[in-house]
Amino acid sequence: MKKVVSLIAAAAMAATLLAGCGQTGESDWEYVKDKGTMKIGITLFEPMNYYDPEDPDKLIGFDTELAEAVCEKLGVTPEFVEIDWDQKVFELQSKNIDCIWNGMTIKDDLKENMDFSMPYSGNMQVCVINSANADVYTDLASMANAKIVVEAGSAGQSSVEAEEALQNAEVTTLQAQRDTLLELKSGTADVAVIDAVMAYASVGEGTSYADLMVVDGIELSKEEYGIGLRKGSDMTEKINEALQQLTDDGTVAALAEKYPSVLVTLEPSA
């Protein structure tokens, strides 16, 4: 839905974005260090950022715990902020958050509006279906007229839109990837296209979605995850340095063992 914005509001927004992009000459690192907190934009996305089933008030996950370790290296306190994923660029540029750290795919269109850290994980888009439909949805051709759900503004949405075999499918966008699994489980959708990292951690035997499965042999795109920062931010170098230190001291390897569905690509220094 298009939103009509007054000229005054648009001008105010533009001024805010310019400030958020670092065009005032202010060091982004000094800004974060002076306030003592790093506001980290997330959505609930298992196994990257989610609440501990045994302690509903405790946020855990690969990205959560890696972010906490990076913040400890930098001497600042992490503050996790749930955001509307479709508004992530505005949230970052307006300084409502200081970075986006939530299994975010590094994409060219996003690079126009933000900088990325070094890649830290690989990923791909996969198709999740109800196990009862295992003989119905076996490949993309069989999904040509299916009801497909994706997260708005996600790599999953981009992959479906770019796939010729799915041009006639009924595609619905939802606020979060976890919502796609809820729709699939309820029977209101046929296929969910989501990150493999999330899919393999969330569906199948021993999970809350034991009746769902990943369709074998479908990889809509191969990707890399990175941390999103304001364009021109000197925070990028600081975070990269901390990531490398945590890789070298074994912290990243320990997290990879704890969250085995995360395809970690960071390597220790030679």
Side-chain angles (χ1 to χ4, degrees), residues 62 246-259 264 266 268:
F62 183 89
L246 293 166
T247 303
D248 293 343
D249 70 16
T251 299
V252 171
L255 286 174
E257 185 174 350
K258 184 176 181 180
Y259 298 101
V264 176
L266 292 169

Side-chain angles (χ1 to χ4, degrees), residues 44-230:
L44 297 182
F45 170 14
E46 188 176 352
M48 310 311 274
N49 309 89
Y50 64 105
Y51 286 102
D52 188 342
E54 298 180 1
D55 183 356
D57 295 324
K58 183 181 180 182
L59 196 64
I60 60 173
F62 183 89
D63 275 353
T64 298
E65 293 165 49
L66 184 56
E68 289 171 340
V70 165
C71 285
E72 184 176 356
K73 287 282 186 186
L74 298 179
V76 296
T77 301
E79 180 182 338
F80 296 95
V81 181
E82 285 190 51
I83 61 173
D84 179 342
W85 195 245
D86 210 24
Q87 297 298 316
K88 58 187 176 291
V89 173
F90 175 76
E91 295 288 342
L92 180 64
Q93 293 180 336
S94 63
K95 290 193 173 180
N96 290 333
I97 56 175
D98 298 312
C99 67
I100 306 167
W101 201 331
N102 189 226
M104 180 167 62
T105 301
I106 299 172
K107 299 194 297 182
D108 288 341
D109 60 334
L110 291 176
K111 287 181 180 179
E112 296 175 4
N113 296 296
M114 68 179 76
D115 286 344
F116 280 94
S117 70
M118 65 173 73
Y120 64 91
S121 173
N123 187 43
M124 65 190 75
Q125 296 299 307
V126 296
C127 296
V128 180
I129 62 172
N130 193 296
S131 301
N133 291 326
D135 294 332
V136 178
Y137 300 114
T138 57
D139 54 18
L140 292 178
S142 64
M143 301 174 188
N145 297 301
K147 295 178 180 179
I148 300 177
V149 284
V150 296
E151 179 185 44
S154 68
Q157 181 180 356
S158 298
S159 296
V160 170
E161 290 174 348
E163 184 57 54
E164 186 174 352
L166 302 178
Q167 294 306 298
N168 292 324
E170 181 183 327
V171 181
T172 300
T173 59
L174 303 173
Q175 188 170 356
Q177 290 199 73
R178 68 183 184 279
D179 295 337
T180 68
L181 297 181
L182 290 171
E183 292 293 317
L184 196 58
K185 187 177 180 67
S186 71
T188 57
D190 302 316
V191 181
V193 178
I194 64 172
D195 290 9
V197 169
M198 180 182 190
Y200 287 114
S202 302
V203 309
E205 186 177 352
T207 72
S208 300
Y209 297 99
D211 53 342
L212 304 185
M213 60 174 282
V214 177
V215 180
D216 289 336
I218 299 178
E219 298 176 3
L220 292 185
S221 61
K222 292 188 176 182
E223 310 149 357
E224 291 181 307
Y225 285 163
I227 303 150
L229 298 117
R230 283 183 276 275

Side-chain angles (χ1 to χ4, degrees), residues 235-254:
M235 280 290 297
T236 307
E237 183 179 357
K238 293 289 184 180
I239 287 178
N240 282 343
E241 290 173 355
L243 286 174
Q244 192 60 61
Q245 291 168 7
L246 293 166
T247 303
D248 293 343
D249 70 16
T251 299
V252 171

